[in-house]
Amino acid sequence: MKQYYIILFLLIISISSSAQEQLLHNVYHRESTSLNGMWKYIVDPYENGFYNYRYEPFENQENPGKSAFFRNAKQESKTELLEYNFDKSDSMSIPGDWNSQKEKLYYYEGTVWFKKSFNYNIKKEDNRVFIHFGASNYETDVYFNGKKLGKHIGGFTPFNFEITHLLKEKDNFIVVKVDNKRKKESVPTLNTDWWNYGGITRDVKLIETASTFVSDYFIQLDKNDIHKINGQIQLNGNDISSKEVLVKIPELKISKTIKSDKNGVVNFKFSSKKIKYWSDESPYLYEVLVSTNEDKIKDKIGFRSIKTAGSSILLNGKKIFLKGISIHEESPIRGGRGYSKEDSKKLLNWAKELGCNYVRLAHYPHNEHMVRLADEMGILVWEENPVYWTISWKNKTTYKNAKNQLAEVISRDKNRASVIIWSMANETPTSDARNIFLTNLANFTKKQDPTRLISAALEQSDYKDSKTVRTINDDFANVVDVLSFNQYIGWYDGLPKKSEKITWKIDQNKPVLISEFGAGAKKDFHADKNTRWSEEFQEEVYLKTLKMLNKIEQLQGFSPWILVDFKSPRRVLPEIQDGYNRKGLISEKGEKKKAFFVLQEFYNSKK
Ligand code: GCB
């Protein structure tokens, strides 16, 4: 008999949004069935599936979860009035944004309804089944077999719902409403410099678990003792108290059975003098197994420490210079939103070829393949919350939303050794309200994950009245562990030679990481180094900027803007931009520009 379990435990490590259930960790190593493939869709710009003709939602207290399109309605009699039919509608590929799949939806921002049908045979009678979305942009309402499961807000983080109690063997159907309308109070807000790809943009899976199972764990090196591994495990189900949980790291000869507390939580500390530490030079991953009598989950986890000391960044106690590049999540293979392992591999291979040991994943959480591959390839990672430019700093719902998106990415990636920095925001104008907002986010992050560093891409300004000295004058600089800022001298700010005159006076005794610099260039447009948009101009900006920034005493790394040209509706200059931000070192067709080799040489010669 299938059972309906109410999830009632305290959320200790990862916190999911109020609207949906606790996130299942490590979905790529669980028993699962992919729902990727062709999904039916209905474009609904006026949201007739959601609101009646008085613009009142069909869904209300008497009718929770009701909408006009929530059923997989079929015309059953000649007289029935039905004004939609999923099965006769067009299909598109999921995962995948609608803008790059359907020409008519290229600029579309609004609601699209999706439907997928499937049969399912449960593997064991008391097992449970969840539906898991890697991401969907931006607001997502999920209905299953005619019942609403819940809603998720945020375009770049995972969410899941339990469907055990509604699942049948035949003819299940899932209906999903996805709305990517930009809104002032959203995170991000109305204005960004990237394409607002809509749709179910990452993998969709059914995950089958035992009735009580290991839903989450956080296993990392102790921040202050590199011979200790700390862990916390969370069980989920109605039999979570005093349960025996076995944790094994076979290669370290660790194997220990520990009993859970009444909340289904297991805490442990292991000591070992034999740990091979994960690093960019030697990205060693250990097989870690967590099991109960009914459940077993496996992961590959690297152990490393990351700290700052004065202006240094220390990886496993050793100073490291971060040779990085910024990356947007666009597919270098198909164009549009990236989601696959192949997309990630191509991007990270280019970063490696450039000489990078570090990437900034801008400006929102990228898909899980990216960080898992970074773990394998030995690439350090900066992950970022989409608090970008202007946000409604005083709006409580906006804060809750930003915090929830951050909680979800921390929950997903907390066991990835590659991830060393959580970035709170990008280029946000200073004000009291903004400082409070970001400081609260930073405090929350430290609580969720005390093992990693906090940063944000800040802005620079003139030092006092000087026209040639620059500084960072921002109260949030006191909160971050790593002081990062974007600067565009030579592009938005004068011509390349301006950087010869600029010096930097940075008073904070913290590591400085330049989160952005760059210039636009159209691949194969050649001219002299003073001609905008030429590869030579971009090359000159790189040469001059690297020289200027390299003199900053606290400098510990760079992530120039950006690896590949990317789509942005702000970039409309015909024959040059044609809808692309051209600051890539590589064109969208995969061709390297001259500046690629300047940075490559710099990184190859940098110790
Ligand atoms: C920035 C932003 C980035 C833009 C870039 C640009 O400072 O952080 O999102 O794309 O400048 O190209 O203007």
Side-chain angles (χ1 to χ4, degrees):
M1 202 191 75
K2 285 171 193 160
Q3 291 170 330
Y4 179 17
Y5 294 87
I6 300 165
I7 296 171
L8 38 67
F9 47 82
L10 296 171
L11 303 179
I12 292 183
I13 305 166
S14 64
I15 296 180
S16 66
S17 87
S18 53
Q20 76 278 338
E21 300 164 15
Q22 192 203 23
L23 270 176
L24 302 184
H25 190 64
N26 186 11
V27 293
Y28 286 98
H29 288 108
R30 292 183 187 271
E31 173 86 57
S32 69
T33 306
S34 173
L35 288 184
N36 292 351
M38 298 311 281
W39 289 48
K40 296 286 180 185
Y41 71 95
I42 297 171
V43 183
D44 186 17
Y46 291 8
E47 298 190 291
N48 288 322
F50 202 78
Y51 297 102
N52 67 18
Y53 81 125
R54 297 292 185 222
Y55 207 65
E56 296 149 350
F58 291 110
E59 160 177 307
N60 54 39
Q61 268 179 350
E62 290 88 65
N63 292 303
K66 193 163 180 232
S67 85
F69 289 178
F70 73 113
R71 292 183 301 137
N72 181 27
K74 292 196 170 61
Q75 188 91 38
E76 265 158 16
S77 73
K78 275 205 291 194
T79 52
E80 190 184 12
L81 174 63
L82 259 190
E83 296 188 86
Y84 73 103
N85 184 330
F86 275 110
D87 294 337
K88 289 192 176 163
S89 300
D90 190 18
S91 306
M92 73 167 87
S93 182
I94 299 299
D97 66 84
W98 60 60
N99 316 73
S100 56
Q101 288 191 65
K102 302 286 166 187
E103 213 181 327
K104 270 197 209 153
L105 300 179
Y106 183 67
Y107 285 111
Y108 183 69
E109 294 185 303
T111 282
V112 175
W113 294 79
F114 293 91
K115 199 216 86 181
K116 177 89 176 165
S117 300
F118 61 92
N119 299 331
Y120 192 81
N121 287 319
I122 199 145
K123 312 234 159 24
K124 210 173 133 223
E125 209 184 323
D126 282 338
N127 276 1
R128 297 163 67 185
V129 180
F130 297 80
I131 180 154
H132 181 277
F133 294 81
S136 149
N137 189 35
Y138 171 81
E139 278 189 32
T140 309
D141 292 87
V142 184
Y143 305 81
F144 183 67
N145 288 347
K147 291 256 161 47
K148 183 156 186 177
L149 299 175
K151 182 186 189 80
H152 180 261
I153 296 177
F156 304 97
T157 44
F159 52 98
N160 49 251
F161 301 102
E162 181 161 9
I163 54 170
T164 314
H165 52 299
L166 297 169
L167 192 65
K168 306 177 290 180
E169 277 190 8
K170 291 253 174 311
D171 301 325
N172 295 289
F173 64 97
I174 172 154
V175 171
V176 183
K177 172 186 188 286
V178 184
D179 179 5
N180 74 334
K181 270 195 293 302
R182 286 169 296 120
K183 292 179 187 163
K184 189 171 185 312
E185 65 282 3
S186 292
V187 181
T189 180
L190 292 167
N191 198 15
T192 69
D193 185 22
W194 70 82
W195 207 270
N196 179 26
Y197 293 112
I200 304 175
T201 46
R202 292 185 193 155
D203 294 333
V204 188
K205 292 168 179 301
L206 296 173
I207 294 174
E208 184 165 338
T209 72
S211 59
T212 293
F213 69 102
V214 177
S215 54
D216 201 1
Y217 51 86
F218 189 8
I219 303 173
Q220 292 276 286
L221 208 63
D222 188 293
K223 183 126 190 162
N224 301 311
D225 182 351
I226 56 161
H227 301 302
K228 242 186 220 137
I229 294 169
N230 295 336
Q232 192 167 47
I233 295 167
Q234 176 73 61
L235 301 178
N236 180 322
N238 61 359
D239 178 25
I240 55 174
S241 163
S242 294
K243 191 110 183 153
E244 292 201 330
V245 179
L246 173 66
V247 186
K248 275 168 113 178
I249 310 177
E251 240 191 288
L252 289 174
K253 302 205 164 46
I254 291 173
S255 173
K256 209 168 166 191
T257 304
I258 315 149
K259 268 207 172 132
S260 61
D261 67 13
K262 65 178 191 314
N263 298 314
V265 174
V266 171
N267 282 300
F268 61 84
K269 271 189 202 310
F270 296 140
S271 290
S272 172
K273 295 255 181 250
K274 296 218 174 87
I275 302 170
K276 279 189 245 164
Y277 298 105
W278 184 97
S279 74
D280 54 326
E281 284 160 0
S282 161
Y284 198 79
L285 300 173
Y286 282 96
E287 189 169 75
V288 177
L289 303 143
V290 182
S291 55
T292 62
N293 274 340
E294 303 98 26
D295 189 31
K296 209 183 262 159
I297 189 152
K298 168 172 104 184
D299 208 341
K300 289 200 135 188
I301 300 182
F303 300 112
R304 55 101 190 95
S305 75
I306 191 78
K307 279 188 188 180
T308 66
S311 65
S312 300
I313 297 176
L314 306 177
L315 176 67
N316 302 322
K318 251 177 64 193
K319 199 169 146 111
I320 184 167
F321 189 87
L322 301 180
K323 305 173 193 178
I325 190 72
S326 296
I327 303 180
H328 257 298
E329 193 192 38
E330 278 194 359
S331 168
I333 300 163
R334 300 172 314 275
R337 188 52 80 221
Y339 52 75
S340 70
K341 202 166 177 177
E342 290 67 41
D343 292 336
S344 302
K345 212 173 244 168
K346 192 152 184 184
L347 293 168
L348 292 182
N349 275 337
W350 275 333
K352 274 265 171 186
E353 192 183 336
L354 191 57
C356 293
N357 60 6
Y358 161 71
V359 292
R360 173 186 181 207
L361 302 184
H363 282 299
Y364 39 76
H366 291 209
N367 63 78
E368 193 171 340
H369 296 299
M370 209 58 181
V371 284
R372 284 200 173 265
L373 266 176
D375 258 17
E376 287 171 22
M377 292 170 73
I379 299 178
L380 298 154
V381 174
W382 153 306
E383 289 211 81
E384 189 159 315
N385 208 28
V387 173
Y388 182 91
W389 290 351
T390 54
I391 288 282
S392 300
W393 305 112
K394 293 185 179 155
N395 185 323
K396 289 208 169 77
T397 315
T398 303
Y399 177 74
K400 235 176 104 189
N401 177 354
K403 179 171 139 186
N404 186 55
Q405 294 190 46
L406 197 51
E408 286 171 342
V409 66
I410 294 171
S411 172
R412 192 192 70 182
D413 294 340
K414 59 186 176 286
N415 289 310
R416 304 283 73 82
S418 54
V419 178
I420 55 164
I421 296 174
W422 298 120
S423 168
M424 302 296 103
N426 179 76
E427 283 186 354
T428 50
T430 59
S431 72
D432 287 347
R434 172 275 204 177
N435 294 346
I436 293 169
F437 190 109
L438 293 191
T439 304
N440 287 341
L441 278 187
N443 290 339
F444 169 73
T445 304
K446 281 277 175 204
K447 252 196 225 140
Q448 295 293 292
D449 177 10
T451 72
R452 292 181 172 83
L453 308 175
I454 291 206
S455 195
L458 305 178
E459 291 182 309
Q460 44 94 42
S461 54
D462 289 340
Y463 181 73
K464 296 187 175 154
D465 291 332
S466 172
K467 289 272 167 290
T468 56
V469 184
R470 297 290 173 92
T471 194
I472 307 303
N473 186 4
D474 183 332
D475 285 345
F476 194 61
N478 301 326
V479 177
V480 296
D481 299 311
V482 174
L483 185 66
S484 302
F485 58 89
N486 301 346
Q487 72 81 36
Y488 282 91
I489 296 167
W491 184 253
Y492 294 123
D493 180 357
L495 290 169
K497 66 174 181 307
K498 179 167 180 177
S499 52
E500 289 168 2
K501 295 210 178 75
I502 303 287
T503 57
W504 294 79
K505 183 167 168 25
I506 294 176
D507 295 328
Q508 294 87 350
N509 182 27
K510 295 190 177 187
V512 167
L513 203 50
I514 314 294
S515 32
E516 284 179 33
F517 72 82
K522 168 88 171 158
K523 173 67 195 163
D524 287 339
F525 172 46
H526 294 289
D528 64 77
K529 62 187 183 192
N530 292 316
T531 306
R532 286 251 181 205
W533 305 112
S534 69
E535 285 195 46
E536 287 70 18
F537 190 103
Q538 187 188 39
E539 182 182 35
E540 182 72 356
V541 169
Y542 268 72
L543 285 166
K544 290 259 174 351
T545 307
L546 287 167
K547 211 164 175 188
M548 168 186 71
L549 296 174
N550 212 19
K551 291 186 197 134
I552 298 176
E553 218 178 289
Q554 302 96 319
L555 183 77
Q556 302 302 329
F558 301 98
S559 52
W561 196 252
I562 185 168
L563 185 64
V564 190
D565 288 350
F566 61 96
K567 289 204 75 83
S568 168
R570 294 170 65 82
R571 310 296 175 175
V572 294
L573 183 66
E575 290 167 23
I576 299 281
Q577 293 178 313
D578 298 313
Y580 284 89
N581 182 314
R582 291 288 178 205
K583 295 189 190 71
L585 295 175
I586 302 176
S587 76
E588 80 282 14
K589 297 193 186 97
E591 311 142 317
K592 298 182 179 95
K593 305 178 194 171
K594 287 180 118 180
F596 181 96
F597 301 99
V598 173
L599 189 62
Q600 187 184 51
E601 201 182 310
F602 180 84
Y603 282 162
N604 286 343
S605 62
K606 186 94 191 164
K607 295 214 184 59

